[in-house]
Amino acid sequence: MDRDSRGGLGELGELGGLFVGLCTLDVIQLVDHVPAPDEKLTALAQTVAAGGPAANAAAAYAHLGGAATLLTGIGRHPLATGVTADLAALGVRVVDLDPDRAEPPAVSSILVTAGTGQRAVASLNTAGRPLPAPTEPTAVRDLADLVAAASVVELDGHHMELATAVARTARAAGRLTLLDGGSWKPRTAELLPWIDVAVCSADFHPPGTATPRETLAFLAAHGVPWAAVTQGPGPILWSGPDAHGELPVPPTADIADTLGAGDILHGALAHYLPPRLTTPADLLAPLTRASAIATTSCASFGTRTWMHTP
């Protein structure tokens, strides 16, 4: 396994959270409307930050006091320096599996509409940036050490070969695995048998499903014991062994920006989940707290401002 942003694997320290998946450079513009073709528009505000589901979840986990490690690929392009610096300032340790990549990191260009919080996103994500699972004996041992140092392993479904290898390692080590199901991706089905908890968006549609209830049934049939589907401001639908129900989402008067709310929910959920889930309360109490934090994040522009809001 390649070195982390500090030049080596270093001390593993206290048990924390291991976040596996996509890391981007987010360039976020607040606009009063999405521009029409050939229209030039002056933004109302701008922010630049490390982004991606796993990275944002790791940032939220670290903000809540957890020891967060992000396993991803970033590279050595000058833009990558800004990504790693942002994460370091948040207390997120980065283990970069692609440290010698000279090309720019994936950049997400994001427009957030003032007043509604709706966003438009364009990004390469992981296209052309594969991160295969480690195969060298030393790298495999390093991966096992990273997993052993975590009480929870969160995966966003990007870099699927790596995600599946980490999830299998986590299951063997008895570590809780949490899936951020933002959307159905190729080979997601291969990952599901190694997932303990899956929290998915309403845009997550496994083959043959059209409703959140069908998604929950699909996940259960594919070996995921605990699952939930978020529906924006609507109630969260959840299921577990021999139980299911709805969890209301805290209301918020002003929606400034919904960008990253799901990622923040997953980071907070990873922080509050117990090492083992045996009753519905083990899921619902952490999910209630995480949902409240995600809702709070929607009241401010960008993916970081909520961290500094009293």
Side-chain angles (χ1 to χ4, degrees):
M1 181 172 295
D2 291 300
R3 297 180 183 275
D4 70 11
S5 60
R6 299 174 307 180
L9 283 175
E11 296 297 325
L12 294 173
E14 65 183 278
L15 288 182
L18 177 61
F19 297 82
V20 183
L22 180 65
C23 184
T24 65
L25 176 66
D26 285 0
V27 180
I28 312 168
Q29 308 275 358
L30 182 67
V31 297
D32 57 13
H33 68 278
V34 176
D38 294 326
E39 178 184 4
K40 293 183 178 180
L41 187 66
T42 299
L44 304 174
Q46 170 187 291
T47 186
V48 179
N56 283 331
Y61 186 93
H63 174 71
L64 295 172
T69 298
L70 175 64
L71 184 61
T72 188
I74 301 175
R76 58 180 175 84
H77 187 274
L79 289 177
T81 303
V83 172
T84 55
D86 180 54
L87 292 169
L90 295 168
V92 176
R93 174 194 181 205
V94 177
V95 177
D96 189 358
L97 295 181
D98 200 6
D100 296 324
R101 186 178 184 90
E103 292 79 7
V107 176
S108 292
S109 301
I110 304 163
L111 298 179
V112 176
T113 303
T116 68
Q118 294 177 321
R119 73 270 198 231
V121 182
S123 178
L124 282 174
N125 291 335
T126 59
R129 302 179 65 91
L131 282 181
T135 56
E136 296 295 329
T138 300
V140 172
R141 288 194 297 271
D142 287 346
L143 176 60
D145 287 343
L146 286 174
V147 170
S151 59
V152 59
V153 176
E154 194 258 12
L155 310 110
D156 67 11
H158 292 280
H159 301 303
M160 191 60 71
E161 184 178 348
L162 173 66
T164 302
V166 174
R168 292 172 66 113
T169 303
R171 177 63 58 81
R175 298 302 192 255
L176 187 75
T177 53
L178 168 63
L179 173 65
D180 175 355
S183 62
W184 183 264
K185 300 174 180 64
R187 300 180 64 185
T188 296
E190 299 175 21
L191 179 60
L192 296 182
W194 312 102
I195 298 299
D196 298 310
V197 182
V199 178
C200 308
S201 77
D203 295 326
F204 183 87
H205 297 297
T209 67
T211 68
R213 288 294 182 198
E214 290 174 347
T215 294
L216 293 175
F218 182 98
L219 292 170
H222 285 75
V224 182
W226 299 93
V229 177
T230 62
Q231 304 181 102
I236 299 172
L237 306 183
W238 65 272
S239 67
D242 304 316
H244 63 87
E246 296 186 3
L247 185 68
V249 171
T252 181
D254 299 311
I255 299 293
D257 188 356
T258 58
L259 179 68
D263 310 338
I264 293 165
L265 183 146
H266 281 85
L269 183 61
H271 187 259
Y272 293 123
L273 279 172
R276 300 283 184 277
L277 279 69
T278 57
T279 70
D282 293 333
L283 172 66
L284 297 182
L287 193 54
T288 298
R289 299 179 72 179
S291 177
I293 291 171
T295 298
T296 297
S297 75
C298 293
S300 57
F301 171 59
T303 54
R304 302 283 188 264
T305 307
W306 67 275
M307 297 179 179
H308 311 294
T309 302

